[in-house]
Amino acid sequence: MVPMSMIQDGAPPLTAAERFHDFLQRLVPYALVIPGLVFVLGVLGYAVAGGVVLSLNETDMFLNQTFVGLKNYIDIFKDPRFQSSLWKTIVFVVSSITLGIALSMMFALTLYHVGFGRRFFRGLSLVPYFVSGIATAVMFRFIFTTSGGFVNYVLGGLGLPTPSWLGDPVLAFIVAVLANCWFMVPFATLILLGGLQTIDRDIYDAATIDGASGAQTFRRITLPLIKPMMGVSLIWVSYISFSTFDIILALTAGGPLRATELVSVYMYQIAFLQLDFGQGSVLMVVLLTFNTVLSLVYLKIFVFGDRRYKAAR
Amino acid sequence: MTIISRTEPQPSAGVVEFIGSLRFRAGRFVLIGIPLVILVIWTTVPIVWAVLASLKEPLEIYQSNTLLPSNPSLDAYREVLSMPGFRGWLWNSVLVTVVATIVPLTISILAAYGFARYAFRFRHLLLLLYLVPRIIPRVSLIVPLNNLMTDLGLVNTYWVLFITYTASAIPLATWILVGFFGSIPKEIEESATIDGANMWNRLRRVMIPIAWPGVVTAGVLCIREAWNEFAFVLALVNETGMRTLPYQLYMLKDSMGVQDYAVYNAFTVLTVLPLLIVYLLLERRVVDSIVSGAVK
């Protein structure tokens, strides 16, 4: 006779071994995911949490810690050198984003429309992405060297003044922005190019028939349709600009006259040269907060605010 | 005469069209050609200038009226290669890059497979934990990491670089691979299951081969991260012999006299070249992955 329960369930009751096997099967995804998580949380997560703790403590030269609450924050925000570095960072980030996105958009449109050697130019455009920040800085130093630099060679040839680029605070700041853009534009360019390629050409044909000008087409059709990719590029360029450290350190080391001393550079100075881990960690929290808030704003506007994303939900 | 006046009438429609297309072409040439020239100059000048400077004679670099080396020589490269520490730094860079590519790639393949193919509790939360580190500036972590690694006694060891590089490469690689694995139709894998393949075999013989462009892209980006990394190695290593190439390139600034600018440039070129070769070999897959939106 077949027991009632079995008929109702339609399946034989599981044996202990089968239940164990079932249990193991359910553990499989966790087993796959956890090794990476150990690294991510153990190193990066720990560093963030540890940095917040450090920022609330005063660490003496024997690495003894005493809890001081927000003292480090108050001290650093009163520090004129910090205030100045924060302003420089904001100017640096805003000008890098503006120039970087403008160049990326121009290059993406060029690569989209170019009729010959498209693969070659696309491949070439990504090359700076593979040059390290330090190497970028060294190359830019030699391009902008006062005597023997490429830029002054060209300017001199045209009969124009040949300034001392890295000796002048404003010019050095501009060179730093340029070097930063050189390093970050390639990736943003290809992301935007990917966006342009997803647009159906029929839409452009329709716009041309309706008599739309090039500028109108770009503003009313191209830009709205590549909104998500614009968001991704913006996150990338502001992430890079906020965390620019190697380029500045090797290009100007924060000088001349601290003209290029961004928060990241000042953080390194405080933490590793003055050995004040508490205040250094405050700067870390500042950098993290700025970057996270900015990224979330972009995501909200460009990705989650996109009509297609809303429609998909 | 009459014949000529007869052949001189209004320009035919074909000519109008031809002139129109010429104007169109000229406009297109200006609109595309000029930005293209800017793109090429912008991209290549820093690298080409470094190569040219590395071939010049020491004093020639200072002369602002020379573009090409008058007497190109590879002496600077010879000098770099014979630097007492160069082989060591090169070896450090290669070793760290190999380990910090293979380990995170392996871990990321497993994790991405888990995320792409299984529904489980906390899946979204865990995926978010993998994603969030992508927006944390690396340089902001160096202070607490330095303290942690000092406590663990790992400062100035290869381990500290293996661990931190692996940790920072995993989020990017996992994110890329989740996309590639997720786009593979489940049916393909199911038919392999029916044929009796277990998870390892499905992953090894079905998923990885199909997602190979993604694996290559993730691999190249891991190589890039490790080869070019600077903030971590600066904060966690201070022995001369433990430096990687970017770190040593940075240190050259202080340790070199002005007359050695050709050597300085040659060193730069030598640190950039290996990664550019890797990129050029795999350029197609990397560019395609980024343009298709698989890397973000």
Side-chain angles (χ1 to χ4, degrees), chain B:
Chain B
M1 290 303 272
T2 48
I3 296 169
I4 291 173
S5 69
R6 264 186 216 153
T7 51
E8 233 177 47
Q10 314 301 317
S12 68
V15 174
V16 173
E17 237 165 54
F18 177 71
I19 293 171
S21 84
L22 261 190
R23 273 179 60 195
F24 175 73
R25 278 191 202 178
R28 197 182 147 81
F29 182 76
V30 172
L31 274 177
I32 307 301
I34 291 176
L36 194 65
V37 170
I38 297 175
L39 170 65
V40 172
I41 291 177
W42 164 264
T43 307
T44 53
V45 157
I47 302 172
V48 171
W49 192 251
V51 173
L52 289 179
S54 72
L55 300 174
K56 287 179 182 171
E57 282 164 352
L59 284 175
E60 201 182 349
I61 293 178
Y62 265 125
Q63 295 159 2
S64 38
N65 55 356
T66 57
L67 187 64
L68 298 172
S70 58
N71 195 5
S73 84
L74 290 171
D75 286 349
Y77 290 92
R78 249 172 248 129
E79 199 165 322
V80 172
L81 292 175
S82 64
M83 277 183 186
F86 188 79
R87 270 155 209 243
W89 303 317
L90 181 64
W91 165 246
N92 293 344
S93 270
V94 171
L95 177 70
V96 168
T97 303
V98 168
V99 173
T101 301
I102 293 175
V103 176
L105 209 50
T106 312
I107 292 175
S108 298
I109 286 173
L110 296 178
Y113 184 72
F115 281 124
R117 278 297 187 258
Y118 289 90
F120 52 99
R121 278 187 119 194
F122 308 120
R123 178 178 173 275
H124 278 95
L125 176 73
L126 295 179
L127 192 55
L128 197 66
L129 285 176
Y130 267 91
L131 176 63
V132 167
R134 294 279 316 279
I135 55 170
I136 299 177
R138 179 128 19 130
V139 59
S140 73
L141 303 179
I142 58 179
V143 178
L145 274 184
N146 178 274
N147 286 17
L148 171 69
M149 295 305 173
T150 310
D151 287 346
L152 295 175
L154 290 175
V155 169
N156 274 327
T157 62
Y158 286 123
W159 287 107
V160 77
L161 299 181
F162 294 163
I163 292 170
T164 52
Y165 288 13
T166 299
S168 59
I170 284 175
L172 176 64
T174 305
W175 199 243
I176 295 171
L177 289 167
V178 168
F180 273 92
F181 283 160
S183 66
I184 299 175
K186 286 208 172 71
E187 290 75 23
I188 294 178
E189 225 187 321
E190 274 160 14
S191 66
T193 316
I194 294 166
D195 292 344
N198 63 17
M199 194 198 81
W200 293 117
N201 281 327
R202 291 200 307 269
L203 191 57
R204 213 159 53 95
R205 295 180 196 274
V206 181
M207 298 298 274
I208 293 179
I210 297 178
W212 190 244
V215 176
V216 170
T217 305
V220 171
L221 296 189
C222 288
I223 294 174
R224 170 186 174 270
E225 292 268 321
W227 186 264
N228 287 346
E229 208 287 326
F230 177 67
F232 284 171
V233 71
L234 176 71
L236 301 171
V237 163
N238 47 40
E239 271 173 27
T240 313
M242 287 295 299
R243 289 173 189 163
T244 57
L245 288 175
Y247 190 1
Q248 181 57 33
L249 178 60
Y250 170 65
M251 298 307 285
L252 283 185
K253 190 169 77 160
D254 303 324
S255 61
M256 273 209 162
V258 275
Q259 70 275 28
D260 291 327
Y261 275 174
V263 177
Y264 200 171
N265 278 290
F267 198 106
T268 312
V269 173
L270 284 177
T271 65
V272 171
L273 203 59
L275 187 60
L276 282 187
I277 292 172
V278 170
Y279 166 62
L280 291 179
L281 290 176
L282 303 166
E283 175 265 332
R284 190 165 276 234
R285 292 204 194 283
V286 177
V287 170
D288 282 346
S289 296
I290 297 177
V291 173
S292 71
V295 183
K296 353 182 148 158

Side-chain angles (χ1 to χ4, degrees), chain A residues 31-44:
Chain A
L32 290 171
V33 162
I34 281 174
L37 210 56
V38 169
F39 273 97
V40 171
L41 288 184
V43 178
L44 309 178

